[in-house]
Amino acid sequence: GTTCVLVSFPFIFNPCLGCKENTPQWAAFIYYLPFIIIFQFGWAATQISHLSLIPELVTSDHEKVELTAFRYAFTVMANITVYGLAWLQKNQPDRSEHLGVQDVPIFRNLSLIVVGLGAVFSLIFHLGTKEKPYPPGSLPQLEESTPLLQKEPTSPPRPLLIWKDWLLEPAFYQVAVLYMSTRLIVNLSQTYIAMYLTNSLLLPKKYIATIPLVMYISGFLSSFLMKPVNKWIGRNVS
């Protein structure tokens, strides 16, 4: 997933190779389409793998919520970094107050910086996060402090679900719809906020970085409230 993102993302925010001023839009669309598909596949693969790692790192429900909140906080920090860099570049002296062809180098440089930072932190994550998988049928090694007599479970252990069994679980579809709806709201707000600011409100182009920057800073600060809110109203409600 990380490799797909690193390979495809720079091409999305760079001019079409071989395209000219008279190149039809459908040709440019066909050019960018494979890179967008590869990026979306890589992004989804990375997100799913990263989220599925949380239950392997912690066992307590409250720790899972706390770790998820920290993950979201660092995600917002990454977004703040991107919009902060965009704001710095947009504040440079420029003749035009609106987006145009002259802004292509800004988005190109920004995409390369983002890919470089992402590659560094992805490398740190893969090298620094250690998993301890147990092979099927094996037990963890006993230590001196481990009791020899284990308490009998009050209920028989449930068998592990395979991927086919998940398709029969109603909760699987509930979580999928909830996550899809949440991501849809976030993606739509990120996509159309720039067009709303520049086309509807006719604001200068620097505001396409300023307004989202304020939004993400607010989200970053609110993420620290998840732990007390979770203890106050419960994990399911929060």
Side-chain angles (χ1 to χ4, degrees), residues 7-232:
V7 171
S8 61
F9 191 78
F11 290 95
I12 299 176
F13 289 93
N14 275 276
C16 175
L17 298 178
C19 295
K20 301 179 181 179
E21 295 182 357
N22 57 352
T23 301
Q25 292 185 353
W26 62 266
F29 173 77
I30 295 176
Y31 171 83
Y32 286 109
L33 184 61
F35 297 111
I36 296 175
I37 294 176
I38 295 174
F39 170 76
Q40 292 294 336
F41 172 80
W43 178 87
T46 305
Q47 290 286 323
I48 294 173
S49 301
H50 197 254
L51 286 171
S52 63
L53 190 61
I54 294 178
E56 299 294 331
L57 298 177
V58 293
T59 56
S60 173
D61 291 338
H62 291 287
E63 291 179 349
K64 292 178 183 178
V65 173
E66 185 176 1
L67 193 59
T68 304
F70 283 137
R71 179 185 180 276
Y72 177 75
F74 280 99
T75 302
V76 175
M77 287 179 59
N79 292 326
I80 291 175
T81 303
V82 174
Y83 283 108
L85 293 173
W87 178 75
L88 292 176
Q89 296 190 61
K90 292 295 181 182
N91 279 344
Q92 295 179 358
D94 196 353
R95 297 179 181 178
S96 176
E97 289 290 336
H98 301 283
L99 290 175
V101 183
Q102 70 278 0
D103 297 310
V104 170
I106 295 179
F107 289 99
R108 179 195 60 204
N109 298 335
L110 186 61
S111 64
L112 295 177
I113 293 173
V114 169
V115 169
L117 291 175
V120 171
F121 282 97
S122 296
L123 183 63
I124 295 174
F125 170 77
H126 286 290
L127 296 179
T129 305
K130 302 297 182 181
E131 296 183 71
K132 297 180 180 180
Y134 296 107
S138 65
L139 295 176
Q141 186 177 1
L142 299 179
E143 300 178 356
E144 293 183 0
S145 59
T146 304
L148 297 178
L149 297 178
Q150 302 291 339
K151 295 182 179 180
E152 296 183 359
T154 56
S155 59
R158 298 179 58 185
L160 296 177
L161 297 177
I162 61 177
W163 68 272
K164 295 181 180 180
D165 298 331
W166 282 105
L167 300 178
L168 303 177
E169 292 289 334
F172 173 76
Y173 298 97
Q174 294 175 1
V175 174
V177 172
L178 180 61
Y179 181 77
M180 181 185 66
S181 303
T182 305
R183 291 305 311 177
L184 183 62
I185 295 174
V186 174
N187 292 340
L188 287 177
S189 63
Q190 291 178 346
T191 303
Y192 289 102
I193 188 65
M195 291 185 288
Y196 174 72
L197 295 174
T198 56
N199 298 337
S200 299
L201 300 182
L202 301 178
L203 294 177
K205 60 184 179 182
K206 65 179 181 180
Y207 285 98
I208 66 174
T210 305
I211 301 301
L213 182 61
V214 174
M215 294 170 56
Y216 276 110
I217 291 177
S218 303
F220 174 73
L221 296 178
S222 64
S223 64
F224 292 100
L225 300 176
M226 284 302 300
K227 185 176 181 180
V229 170
N230 177 62
K231 292 183 178 180
W232 182 41

